[in-house]
Amino acid sequence: MGTNLLSQMMSPGLRSTDYGTTYEKLNDKVGLKTVLSYLYVNPTNKRKIMLLSDPEMESSILISSDEGATYQKYRLTFFIQSLLFHPKQEDWVLAYSLDQKLYSSMDFGRRWQLMHERITPNRFYWSVAGLDKEADLVHMEVRTADGYAHYLTCRIQECAETTRNGPFARSIDISSLVVQDEYIFIQVTTGGRASYYVSYRREAFAQIKLPKYSLPKDMHIISTDESQVFAAVQEWNQNDTYNLYISDTRGIYFTLAMENIKSSRGLMGNIIIELYEVAGIKGVFLANKKVDDQVKTYITYNKGRDWRLLQAPDVDLRGSPVHCLLLSENPYSSGRISSKETAPGLVVATGNIGSELSYTDIGVFISSDGGNTWRQIFDEEYNVWFLDWGGALVAMKHTPLPVRHLWVSFDEGHSWDKYGFTSLPLFVDGALVEAGVESHVMTVFGHFSLRSEWQLVKVDYKSIFSRRCTKEDYQTWHLLNQGEPCVMGERKIFKKRKPGAQCALGRDYSGSVVSEPCVCADWDFEWYRRIVSNNCTDGLREKYTAKAQICPGKAPRGLHVVTTDGRLVAEQGHNATFIILMEEGDLQRTNIQLDFGDGIAVSYANFSPIEDGIKHVYKSAGIFQVTAYAENNLGSDTAVLFLHVVCPVEHVHLRVPFVAIKNKEVNISAVVWPSQLGTLTYFWWFGNSTKPLITLDSSISFTFLAEGTNTITVQVAAGNALIQDTKDIAVHEYFQSQLLSFSPNLDYHNPDIPEWRQDIGNVIKRALVKVTSVPEDQILVAVFPGLPTSAELFILPPKNLTERRKGNEGDLEQSIIICHDFPCSLSFIFQIVETLFNALNQNLVQFELKPGVQVIVYVTQLTLAPLVDSSAGHSSSAMLMLLSVVFVGLAVFLIYKFKRKIPWINIYAQVQHDKEQEMIGSVSQSENAPKITLSDFTEPEELLDKELDTRVIGGIATIANSESTKEIPNCTSV
């Protein structure tokens, strides 16, 4: 045998047109600066090649139509992750981008068109000839913005929203769409239980019927050959095994074929089901089954109807007797199982001899008669390849050590000849057998050392085959199933090359000689029907043939009403689609009525018009009882669904006072935009609490027990939407407040946005501190939304007094504030107040808004009522008058007591023993105060309605993130 050693670097990419005899570097064709990542060969025209550039360097594609002799480079506006070629049209290509978009090209990648966004990886498929009407149709799984997946189809040049089609009306589970041959499969999970649906030959979807108490948690489609589905289903009580089910022709009804087939995980985390279909012979499968915690290999010759343990060879290579043979179907082990369509009956497998499957004591075994009998050919791990239509076998030892030799057999592994394929030992990384079943060329690639470059070795076996095979070089053999000559209803006789004949099989070689039907027997049927693809005739065929009968009528039973997406929430003004399902009953003779719960109902004479769902638009929000009623002449059934119809929620604003009194209840509310009633749930967090208070009301009362800055968070749940707002509130034992107004020129420059109000509040505060030298942490300024511009000034207690304060009921006659070790009279409190008011009344508090614009800050004559009042906002002037009358006696007494004029000021305090709030007001006003009437100001309720965001930073209360005054639309509610 001749060998040809090639020492070429593989990293830049190599090209050979003479089966590896010579190579040329791809960079010589595409440019030295081009970094390549993937190479694709068109499966329908192998002269056409696509090269993808490295996405980290650039986004481009290189196209060749002459087997890589020349390339044209095209820049792309997206980065390709994978390509999918059309099975018939050589110029049609789908490209999946790194940002999960699907593009199409009809000129082999020269021009691209965006088809759809948010495509699930590997869940897009070309049309299937003979099933889909249009050759350019694409099946794809698309995710919506809310995270749900849908099955859509469209043509590659007509994929606008109006031209897309949704063959399945409901949402589906992510990564569940499978389009394979005549079948389309999807999965839908509701209530934690998965249901599977199938479409046969593009008909309407039907739910897959597994045995009644089969509760699958995972399903894999193994095969859809010959109009039958093999599915591996993992039941609720299985972990590392699956049950094998086979279906009827339509893929709807499944029956159990084998339990507890072993499964494992691949290198990428994918599930591997240890089931193997033998090529070249219909109906023959090998499976590894877990029995009493041991894994054993079984074989079937009638497509899963009957299984038996694999027959072990009589002796191993050492001549020792063998009792059990186990084979490995893990593709990540070295040998696994291999067979060829062109070499029927020849099966090579990696396995071991023993009571159970092992991955340590591995050998290689071969069967020449379709799995009936086996022989051991190696007692170590070897890789085996088929050459010349399976007429020759090539083996190479699987080892981490370097090798120089390989073995060739012309008698199905009975004898092996050793050949050297390289002069130096080679660390083998892999081997490729050239495409084409009559190929005699193999390429081995690897390294001479761990640091050397990649080496390619071409091994050409043509010199071994001295001539073409003639009739005298063949012999026949019969396929048997434990001595029974009929397999899948046929008697088959095959031919193969005689052992030792070193001749080459011709291009017209065929392994099958005779095929004739057998008389039908019991083992040719399942479920009282003939096994799919079984070709038996006569005999018991008539006995098991299904006979048409008139089904007796049934009353409706098992009626269900669900939404297409399985959710119990719908948006007001949008289509809600309902599906009515019935487990039993005559679909064509049962009347259906659906009451939507909003005064509208529809009726149908049978199920035919409603197979795609019943659509309805709710015009108001609320909770609706949807009732389905089915009736025929034998009975009736009813199903009920409670649907939450919500109006889309866009924003929530938390209403809180700027400052609150310790141990006094505070009213807090959430304003939702747009406003709506019903189906809203409110979650409230206060301070450092980790568990929320949950209400259906938009307001809540809460008592703060500690001073300082407290955080309030509210979340509003509306359907599948969840929005949130957070505010801070300053909590003190007492505080004082006063309204402020400004010179009119400020209104002209007021944009009425949150950032501006927060900045102006800080500017006013700094101006007050600068003029009066009042400690910064004792004042707070909050600017209100709207015009005219107004604000509230808060005077907070000093921290040292607050920390040292202790209640003493006997001192109440002297003062509202009681200190720890010395009396604190109101004169101390009013000292700061008087200082501030003197500065304000003398127009000393000013700030420059911009060059040339000076703004003066005034004291407003009318003040807001206590913030701790139970109303939603500041109380009205009527409440102020009432409180003034109640406390006028106390006010006169205190004013007389202290013998001094007190400015117009409100004091809010919480004293020991839960004493009520006390307010002290002056009997006269400053003469210098501007004359401003109540009508000049926005009502307190309106101020808070406009306020959309309030924050307290440290001890400073501000109003932030507010919106301009505008009308809030309402969603009507029932």
Side-chain angles (χ1 to χ4, degrees), residues 58-78:
E58 61 176 333
S59 179
S60 62
I61 189 170
L62 296 99
I63 298 173
S64 174
S65 299
D66 51 13
E67 294 184 310
T70 59
Y71 285 91
Q72 292 176 298
K73 189 173 184 178
Y74 296 87
R75 297 285 184 180
L76 301 176
T77 59
F78 60 95

Side-chain angles (χ1 to χ4, degrees), residues 1 11 13 62 66 79 147 199 221 231 264 286 352 397 450 477 481 493 507 590 597 668 677 754 868 884 898 916 973:
M1 177 177 61
S11 56
L62 296 99
D66 51 13
F79 293 94
S199 169
I221 304 302
S264 57
L286 294 164
N352 68 280
K397 188 175 182 178
L450 297 179
W477 66 278
N481 176 12
I493 302 176
R507 182 178 292 273
T590 299
I668 301 162
L677 298 176
V868 294
S884 299
F898 295 107
E916 295 296 326
S973 175

Side-chain angles (χ1 to χ4, degrees), residues 934-952:
L934 181 63
S935 60
D936 294 331
F937 287 89
T938 306
E939 287 295 324
E941 289 81 7
E942 295 178 359
L943 287 174
L944 285 183
D945 284 341
K946 296 174 186 176
E947 177 195 347
L948 292 182
D949 198 320
T950 305
R951 281 178 171 75
V952 179

Side-chain angles (χ1 to χ4, degrees), residues 572-584:
Q572 173 190 332
H574 291 73
N575 270 327
T577 305
F578 300 94
I579 302 292
I580 299 179
L581 306 173
M582 189 168 62
E583 295 178 6
E584 289 185 5

Side-chain angles (χ1 to χ4, degrees), residues 332-514:
Y332 295 96
S333 62
S334 61
R336 57 177 294 186
I337 305 175
S338 58
S339 58
K340 295 293 182 182
E341 191 77 26
T342 56
L346 195 61
V347 186
V348 179
T350 299
N352 68 280
I353 297 171
S355 59
E356 64 174 327
L357 185 63
S358 170
Y359 296 101
T360 56
D361 189 16
I362 296 294
V364 181
F365 300 83
I366 191 169
S367 175
S368 301
D369 53 8
N372 277 279
T373 60
W374 294 82
R375 293 177 287 108
Q376 187 174 10
I377 55 178
F378 295 107
D379 57 4
E380 295 180 278
E381 288 191 70
Y382 275 75
N383 295 305
V384 180
W385 295 272
F386 290 73
L387 292 180
D388 189 40
W389 303 82
L393 299 176
V394 178
M396 183 183 298
K397 188 175 182 178
H398 182 79
T399 174
L401 301 176
V403 296
R404 296 178 53 191
H405 301 93
L406 48 76
W407 284 257
V408 179
S409 175
F410 290 92
D411 55 6
E412 298 177 345
H414 285 280
S415 61
W416 296 87
D417 296 321
K418 184 178 179 180
Y419 293 88
F421 69 94
T422 174
S423 59
L424 296 175
L426 183 72
F427 289 93
V428 176
D429 295 320
L432 298 173
V433 176
E434 287 295 330
V437 290
E438 61 174 344
S439 172
H440 305 103
V441 176
M442 187 170 114
T443 302
V444 181
F445 52 94
H447 298 78
F448 286 132
S449 68
L450 297 179
R451 296 183 179 180
S452 69
E453 299 173 344
W454 204 348
Q455 309 295 318
L456 299 178
V457 179
K458 175 186 176 181
V459 184
D460 192 342
Y461 301 91
K462 290 180 182 177
S463 60
I464 297 180
F465 299 97
S466 57
R467 56 185 175 82
R468 287 281 184 178
C469 292
T470 63
K471 290 181 179 181
E472 288 73 22
D473 295 312
Y474 297 104
Q475 65 182 21
T476 60
W477 66 278
H478 296 255
L479 175 64
L480 304 176
N481 176 12
Q482 287 186 312
E484 169 58 46
C486 290
V487 177
M488 291 294 288
E490 290 182 313
R491 182 180 291 106
K492 282 197 172 184
I493 302 176
F494 298 91
K495 72 174 182 179
K496 60 183 178 180
R497 187 169 45 191
K498 292 179 180 179
Q502 290 190 218
C503 58
L505 301 175
R507 182 178 292 273
D508 57 350
Y509 168 77
S510 175
S512 179
V513 177
V514 178

Side-chain angles (χ1 to χ4, degrees), residues 740-751 756 759-761 763-768 771 781 783 787-791 839-840 842-859 930 932:
L740 301 178
S741 56
F742 306 93
S743 51
N745 59 347
L746 182 60
D747 293 345
Y748 179 78
H749 300 281
N750 184 351
W756 185 88
D759 290 342
I760 292 298
V763 169
I764 298 169
K765 177 181 176 179
R766 288 196 295 268
L768 287 167
V771 172
V781 179
V783 179
L787 295 174
T789 308
S790 59
L840 290 167
Q842 296 176 29
N843 297 340
L844 299 179
V845 182
Q846 303 180 13
F847 61 90
E848 188 178 48
L849 185 67
K850 58 187 294 186
V853 180
Q854 196 75 16
V855 178
I856 303 174
V857 184
Y858 303 103
V859 173
I932 302 177

